[in-house]
Amino acid sequence: MIYSKIKTATAMAVALVVLSPAALALDGAELYKTKTCSTCHGKDGKSPILPSYPKVAGQNEAYTLQQMKDIKSGTRANGGSAAMKGVMHLVSDEEIAALAKFISTMQP
Amino acid sequence: MNRKHILTMMTAVLGLTVSATSLAWLEAGGQRDEALHLKPDHENGIEVYEVCAGCHLTEGWGTKDGTFPQLAGQHKEVLVKQLADIREGNRDNPTMYPFALPESIGGAQALMDVVTYTAKLPMNPDNGKGEWETGSSEFEQGKKLYADNCTECHDKNGEGIAEKFYPKIQGQHYNYMMRQFEWIRDGKRRNANPDMVKQIKGFSDKDMQMVINYVSRIPVPKEDLAPSKDWLNPDYD
């Protein structure tokens, strides 16, 4: 019992040490602003600058993740993606994942 | 007969290309000229600039990595020309395009308001620079290239010439200038000045890096700079 508690505490401590720098660095809400997502898609993720740009708030995490990856790599080049490709070099794979997660939690 | 016909056609095509290039640099009329005759409104300038700040930051400093250029301290004539060129489809910039539209910014008056405001912002004392320190051999070679090729339009220290729409390049981020220079040299920047295209045609990639390294290290006059690189624009909270 005690052993198990210690084990849990140790595991938690290890997890904190390992995860916290990454977790701190990858604040999806902050990234959404600093990586200029909000400039085009709106602060709330549902007031894009052009009607031909998508609302993104509440979009499925897996879908957003894939679109960001594909626009960054150039696999997806249709529609307005040329506009977004211009900034995607600013975003790492880890940041893309954090953004996709955050965007999925935005109120649609 | 046939050959003569082809020759005439070729001349015609060539003529079209040449005039299209000149027109692309400085087409008369449009909102650029209209805006520059208007009296700027400072408060509206602040309001309009807010959308620009989404990428160029509230200080107008852009990003050191050169993704977004510094706008602070740029001549209002240059800013209005580039905005109008992007708006009118004369300079390709898909990321910026929607923000140059009248729906986002407004008409000629708003253009004048926002460019006058931006031109007066103090500049970034910590712009992105090339890799070669002041005094190095590459720096000196860049300095010579600059003196031989660039001063007629961009002036002795990269000040540019406002009334001719020649941009200020002192204090600009290295990577941004590299990208634009390469696009101008290689014909990708459609509103490039044809004289510059001609002037830099023979520049190798190394020449380009050296001259821009030099420009990125030209000191900006102290009175044009913000007091520190941590300065925040008090017009926004």
Side-chain angles (χ1 to χ4, degrees):
Chain A
M1 181 71 171
I2 286 171
Y3 179 66
S4 145
K5 260 191 182 163
I6 292 171
K7 215 165 83 173
T8 312
T10 313
M12 276 174 68
V14 169
L16 270 173
V17 170
V18 173
L19 290 177
S20 61
L24 274 178
L26 297 182
D27 177 346
E30 187 62 19
L31 287 171
Y32 185 78
K33 264 188 285 173
T34 57
K35 301 296 173 181
T36 70
C37 315
S38 61
T39 315
C40 286
H41 295 285
K43 283 179 186 145
D44 56 3
K46 51 188 171 186
S47 35
I49 180 92
L50 284 184
S52 56
Y53 286 2
K55 299 176 182 177
V56 292
Q59 183 56 269
N60 294 330
E61 182 179 346
Y63 177 78
T64 309
L65 181 87
Q66 198 57 48
Q67 298 314 308
M68 282 194 274
K69 282 188 172 171
D70 288 349
I71 289 172
K72 182 177 178 178
S73 72
T75 305
R76 180 177 165 184
N78 66 330
S81 50
M84 186 158 141
K85 188 165 195 305
V87 296
M88 285 308 288
H89 70 273
L90 297 171
V91 195
S92 70
D93 285 355
E94 292 75 22
E95 289 167 338
I96 285 177
L99 277 165
K101 195 176 197 72
F102 167 72
I103 288 165
S104 73
T105 65
M106 294 173 96
Q107 189 60 41
Chain B
M1 178 68 179
N2 209 358
R3 185 184 278 180
K4 197 178 160 196
H5 185 68
I6 289 169
L7 210 78
T8 316
M9 269 188 49
M10 275 174 67
T11 317
V13 169
L14 216 75
L16 270 174
T17 315
V18 169
S19 63
T21 314
S22 330
L23 274 179
W25 158 244
L26 205 58
E27 201 163 348
Q31 292 210 306
R32 180 193 68 228
D33 294 340
E34 192 188 338
L36 285 170
H37 288 104
L38 300 168
K39 190 171 174 290
D41 178 309
H42 180 72
E43 290 306 316
N44 193 48
I46 296 176
E47 198 168 308
V48 174
Y49 183 74
E50 196 172 359
V51 69
C52 318
C55 292
H56 295 279
L57 308 189
T58 47
E59 291 72 37
W61 291 357
T63 46
K64 214 175 159 179
D65 71 2
T67 303
F68 305 110
Q70 162 155 249
L71 306 175
Q74 183 57 269
H75 306 301
K76 63 180 189 307
E77 290 81 358
V78 172
L79 294 172
V80 83
K81 171 174 167 21
Q82 297 307 321
L83 258 173
D85 279 357
I86 292 171
R87 171 182 287 192
E88 285 153 23
N90 200 15
R91 174 178 174 183
D92 298 314
N93 188 332
T95 306
M96 167 139 169
Y97 179 71
F99 303 98
L101 293 175
E103 299 90 291
S104 306
I105 291 189
Q109 180 65 55
L111 279 184
M112 188 55 175
D113 299 345
V114 75
V115 298
T116 307
Y117 175 72
T118 315
K120 285 184 182 151
L121 286 171
M123 293 170 71
N124 184 354
D126 185 34
N127 65 305
K129 296 182 175 64
E131 60 179 305
W132 296 300
E133 296 290 335
T134 303
S136 64
S137 149
E138 285 86 354
F139 173 89
E140 293 301 332
Q141 291 177 69
K143 187 175 178 179
K144 178 151 191 347
L145 282 167
Y146 185 83
D148 293 345
N149 294 281
C150 316
T151 53
E152 199 176 306
C153 298
H154 291 286
D155 213 345
K156 241 165 71 189
N157 296 302
E159 300 92 335
I161 304 175
E163 59 278 16
K164 289 190 172 170
F165 306 98
Y166 298 156
K168 179 185 280 188
I169 50 177
Q170 58 176 209
Q172 189 54 272
H173 304 298
Y174 174 81
N175 285 334
Y176 174 74
M177 288 193 282
M178 282 290 290
R179 196 163 70 241
Q180 299 306 318
F181 190 104
E182 193 173 9
W183 286 354
I184 290 169
R185 187 191 62 180
D186 301 345
K188 205 181 150 192
R189 174 121 169 218
R190 290 193 291 110
N191 70 342
N193 184 311
D195 293 335
M196 174 156 172
V197 178
K198 229 186 292 163
Q199 189 72 30
I200 66 173
K201 214 169 72 185
F203 272 56
S204 68
D205 286 355
K206 181 82 189 279
D207 292 337
M208 169 169 76
Q209 288 157 15
M210 291 191 297
V211 77
I212 291 172
N213 175 72
Y214 169 72
V215 173
S216 73
R217 291 171 180 278
I218 296 177
V220 176
K222 209 166 169 231
E223 62 270 24
D224 295 340
L225 291 174
S228 92
K229 68 181 166 71
D230 302 318
W231 180 80
L232 294 173
N233 186 348
D235 293 334
Y236 300 92
D237 39 35

